[in-house]
């Protein structure tokens, strides 16, 4: 492996995530020997100016994590270079190919997806799509199945599927991989992991930030396409998939595709019952006044900043187990979690004729703000009460007896794992073409139903958990969303 080229190397993703990730990898001695890192973008800056900007961004992040080390930076600086290019022109890319020299190139496209097709075509003509080269595509690829296919066809003309790494950064998160370890590295959960023991599953990705000046992108996509089509369906797949025969990329992805294929289609009639969309109003968030989405956008928009959906998986394992997903901006908390809600005991021997004092077991797989997997189990409250008193206790399954104090000193950026894997050619944690297609197909039905119904998103207050209709989605089935203090 010779080089990693970051197209859009001066942009937000590269500066905030990719270059700090590369620094941390270098810090831990994980970057391939001799790896060159080349920023490539339109802006006419010199390598020295670029490297100074990279240092600023990397140093701030590394200092915040107490991992800044001048020796590591000197090593990274020696790898770095910059070239001003028009990535859509083969002529402009040829000098870049020459600079890279012999050896394989991994190109990361951290640019607007509207340029992907033209860039890969130019890369092919410039010799940056040789059989040993790879390309990493950041989401979103397309905004529906049709536009995804148009872009991906151009990618497929230049690269074989094994050379293409479609990023979903959620798959690089430590707890997501820990979910695989939990499910397939233990025997005790598997017999319970089905509709006999599980009542329902909830997936929540809450963010407190608003859309702000990202609206030109966001207004085209909305929460459904920005978060649910990718991150949330990926989480759903990992919870619901059958055990793969090994961790090979295709073994895992075959199982995920089967889940996506089993998602019950959402018809126009269903859409009103099983989907909710919302948009934040003005109000206060974190004690500060905040504008509504429409005010940020500058005109009235029907784009949803919140979505909640009930998904049903029509197969033997999951028949009758709803998967509720919700995500939104300007919600009460920055919190990402998967809740596995087990069924209640069939009969309580502790109370009289209600089961109120016996809470059903609940596994919470928390990705943010903490990374943890915990299981609530009922326990006897110590004491000599005449009638035995129960209490739920939380067991941490991630940090063991050390509890949360046993966690590693630094939380890794999800891109660290993914950059390493892409450079090593391991696509287990990347999205295969058919997966992305199936996810778009399912999500397109929802966006189409919304468009045809001509309805508007429900308003919700900043700092809430979305519109009341999202609570009703569960309440109608006798359930409610997990709350942090539960
Ligand atoms: C991105 C979305 O993919 O994920 C953003 O485009 C969102 O809108 C972000 O804020 C959330 O990522 P994380 O890792 O902070 O949960």
């Amino acid at each position: 492996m010779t080089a990693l080229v970051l197209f859009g190397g001066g942009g937000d993703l590269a500066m905030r995530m990719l270059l700090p990730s590369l620094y941390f990898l270098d810090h831990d001695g994980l970057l391939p020997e001799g790896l060159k890192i080349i920023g490539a973008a339109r802006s006419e800056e010199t390598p020295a100016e670029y490297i100074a900007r990279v240092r600023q961004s990397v140093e701030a992040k590394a200092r915040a994590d107490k991992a800044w080390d001048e020796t590591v930076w000197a090593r990274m600086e020696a790898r770095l270079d910059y070239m001003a290019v028009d990535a859509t022109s083969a002529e402009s890319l040829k000098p870049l190919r020459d600079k890279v020299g012999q050896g394989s190139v991994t190109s990361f496209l951290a640019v607007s997806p509207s340029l992907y097709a033209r860039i890969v075509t130019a890369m092919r003509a410039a010799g940056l799509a040789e059989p040993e080269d790879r390309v990493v595509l950041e989401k979103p690829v397309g905004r529906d199945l049709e536009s995804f296919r148009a872009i991906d066809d151009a990618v497929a003309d230049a690269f074989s599927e094994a050379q293409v790494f479609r990023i979903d950064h959620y798959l690089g998160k430590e707890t997501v991989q820990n979910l695989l370890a939990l499910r397939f590295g233990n025997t005790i959960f598997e017999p319970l992991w089905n509709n006999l023991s599980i009542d329902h599953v909830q997936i929540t990705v809450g963010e407190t930030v608003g859309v702000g000046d990202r609206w030109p992108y966001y207004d085209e996509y909305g929460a459904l396409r920005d978060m649910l089509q990718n991150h949330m369906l990926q989480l759903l797949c990992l919870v619901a998939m059958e055990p793969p025969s090994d961790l090979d990329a295709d073994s895992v992805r075959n199982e995920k595709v089967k889940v996506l294929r089993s998602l019950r289609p959402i018809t126009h009639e269903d859409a009103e019952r099983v989907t909710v969309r919302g948009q934040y109003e003005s109000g206060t968030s974190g004690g500060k006044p905040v504008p509504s989405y429409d005010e940020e956008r500058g005109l009235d928009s029907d784009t949803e900043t919140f979505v909640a959906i009930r998904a049903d998986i029509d197969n033997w394992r999951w028949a009758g187990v709803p998967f509720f997903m919700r995500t939104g901006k300007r919600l009460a908390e920055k919190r990402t979690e998967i809740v596995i809600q087990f069924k209640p005991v069939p009969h309580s021997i502790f109370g009289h004729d209600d089961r109120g004092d016996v809470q059903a077991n609940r596994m919470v797989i928390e990705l943010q703000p903490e990374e943890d997997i915990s299981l609530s189990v009922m326990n006897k409250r110590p004491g000599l009460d005449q009638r035995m008193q129960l209490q739920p206790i939380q067991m941490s399954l991630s940090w063991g007896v050390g509890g949360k104090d046993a966690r590693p000193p630094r939380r890794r950026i999800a891109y660290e794992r993914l950059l390493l894997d892409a450079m090593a050619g391991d696509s287990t944690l990347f999205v295969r073409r058919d997966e992305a297609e199936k996810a778009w197909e399912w999500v397109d039905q929802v966006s189409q139903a919304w468009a045809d119904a001509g309805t508007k998103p429900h308003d919700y207050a900043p700092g809430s958990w979305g519109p009341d209709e999202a609570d009703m989605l569960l309440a109608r089935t006798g359930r409610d969303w997990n709350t942090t203090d539960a």
Side-chain angles (χ1 to χ4, degrees):
M1 137 114 284
T2 313
L4 176 67
V5 176
L6 303 178
F7 287 103
D12 187 58
L13 180 69
M15 288 293 171
R16 256 183 340 105
M17 297 287 174
L18 306 180
L19 289 152
S21 295
L22 290 162
Y23 169 86
F24 288 125
L25 291 173
D26 215 356
H27 182 275
D28 297 346
L30 296 171
L31 284 189
E33 186 87 15
L35 175 78
K36 287 187 202 160
I37 303 167
I38 303 174
R42 274 179 189 274
S43 122
E44 288 292 344
E45 57 188 333
T46 63
E49 286 164 343
Y50 176 72
I51 291 169
R53 281 208 298 136
V54 174
R55 175 177 174 139
Q56 220 183 15
S57 158
V58 165
E59 185 175 344
K61 196 120 185 161
R63 281 198 190 278
D65 280 334
K66 300 192 173 45
W68 178 250
D69 182 333
E70 291 286 350
T71 331
V72 177
W73 169 252
R75 194 162 65 222
M76 179 159 173
E77 191 177 13
R79 301 176 185 278
L80 278 168
D81 204 345
Y82 178 77
M83 197 160 183
V85 293
D86 170 4
T88 59
S89 143
E91 277 316 299
S92 174
L93 289 184
K94 279 188 183 137
L96 177 64
R97 171 73 258 188
D98 297 340
K99 187 188 260 294
V100 167
Q102 295 306 306
S104 67
V105 185
T106 299
S107 297
F108 195 120
L109 304 196
V111 297
S112 164
S114 59
L115 300 172
Y116 285 176
R118 285 161 63 203
I119 293 180
V120 289
T121 309
M123 284 170 69
R124 182 178 172 204
L128 284 163
E130 296 304 309
E132 66 281 7
D133 296 333
R134 300 186 179 116
V135 67
V136 185
L137 304 178
E138 182 58 41
K139 73 158 257 282
V141 183
R143 68 183 293 283
D144 52 22
L145 180 60
E146 197 185 336
S147 50
F148 169 81
R149 282 198 173 135
I151 297 172
D152 228 57
D153 284 347
V155 174
D157 281 343
F159 294 94
S160 70
E161 179 64 23
Q163 295 173 277
V164 182
F165 293 77
R166 292 178 200 83
I167 287 239
D168 185 310
H169 80 272
Y170 267 52
L171 295 180
K173 291 183 189 267
E174 189 70 15
T175 314
V176 173
Q177 294 158 61
N178 206 2
L179 172 60
L180 292 179
L182 183 93
R183 284 199 60 198
F184 306 125
N186 297 287
T187 50
I188 56 174
F189 299 113
E190 176 54 22
L192 307 176
W193 213 259
N194 54 46
N195 56 7
L196 297 179
S197 304
I198 294 178
D199 176 75
H200 73 279
V201 175
Q202 300 179 9
I203 303 177
T204 292
V205 182
E207 294 186 274
T208 51
V209 292
V211 174
D213 51 17
R214 271 182 92 213
W215 69 258
Y217 153 76
Y218 197 87
D219 210 53
E220 276 278 292
Y221 286 80
L224 179 71
R225 295 179 173 98
D226 182 47
M227 297 294 288
L228 198 129
Q229 186 272 345
N230 35 75
H231 307 322
M232 302 189 78
L233 284 182
Q234 284 293 328
L235 297 181
L236 175 141
C237 283
L238 293 175
V239 171
M241 72 183 188
E242 295 301 312
S245 54
D246 52 39
L247 266 190
D248 266 10
D250 280 334
S251 307
V252 172
R253 298 184 301 177
N254 287 344
E255 297 307 333
K256 288 199 284 168
V257 172
K258 281 190 211 159
V259 175
L260 294 168
R261 294 171 72 96
S262 310
L263 284 174
R264 184 178 304 164
I266 295 185
T267 63
H268 276 44
E269 295 73 56
D270 292 337
E272 207 187 325
R273 194 173 46 82
V274 301
T275 75
V276 175
R277 55 185 177 142
Q279 192 188 77
Y280 56 81
E281 303 176 280
S282 57
T284 49
S285 169
K288 291 200 191 101
V290 286
S292 66
Y293 177 72
D294 280 348
E295 281 160 359
E296 287 174 341
R297 168 77 183 84
L299 50 86
D300 283 1
S301 160
D302 287 348
T303 298
E304 76 289 351
T305 58
F306 175 95
V307 60
I309 293 194
R310 171 190 169 140
D312 286 273
I313 302 174
D314 287 333
N315 64 20
W316 270 47
R317 189 187 282 267
W318 297 115
V321 181
F323 282 64
F324 297 102
M325 294 178 272
R326 64 173 170 172
T327 184
K329 304 280 184 199
R330 281 236 207 283
L331 296 185
E333 275 177 76
K334 166 95 179 158
R335 184 169 181 79
T336 304
E337 66 177 20
I338 304 168
V339 175
I340 313 290
Q341 180 63 58
F342 290 93
K343 292 195 167 167
V345 292
H347 161 74
S348 171
I349 63 168
F350 303 102
H352 293 292
D353 46 19
D354 65 81
R355 294 179 297 192
D357 51 356
V358 188
Q359 291 175 20
N361 303 115
R362 173 178 285 186
M363 184 186 284
V364 179
I365 300 157
E366 183 180 344
L367 285 74
Q368 287 168 143
E370 298 291 336
E371 294 182 321
D372 193 17
I373 301 180
S374 67
L375 180 65
S376 74
V377 291
M378 294 310 290
N379 207 276
K380 179 185 175 302
R381 183 176 297 159
L384 300 176
D385 300 289
Q386 279 262 291
R387 184 171 157 243
M388 194 192 288
Q389 301 290 318
L390 299 190
Q391 62 183 5
I393 57 157
Q394 308 294 330
M395 295 167 57
S396 168
L397 303 182
S398 304
W399 313 117
V401 287
K404 288 184 177 172
D405 293 340
R407 67 190 142 195
R410 182 176 73 79
R411 168 191 276 228
R412 286 199 179 275
I413 306 174
Y415 285 93
E416 292 178 48
R417 157 100 273 145
L418 299 175
L419 281 165
L420 264 192
D421 285 359
M423 289 189 283
D426 179 352
S427 32
T428 307
L429 297 177
F430 294 83
V431 181
R432 203 168 60 191
R433 180 175 174 139
D434 52 348
E435 262 181 272
E437 286 187 344
K438 279 286 154 209
W440 275 124
E441 214 176 276
W442 193 73
V443 156
D444 279 358
Q445 311 167 77
V446 177
S447 41
Q448 197 54 53
W450 288 347
D452 292 348
T455 49
K456 290 192 166 302
H458 301 283
D459 289 339
Y460 64 93
S464 68
W465 275 108
D468 295 344
E469 285 74 7
D471 293 331
M472 273 142 57
L473 180 71
L474 270 73
R476 277 202 300 274
T477 71
R479 301 173 172 103
D480 49 22
W481 293 103
N482 185 38
T483 52
T484 336
D485 49 356

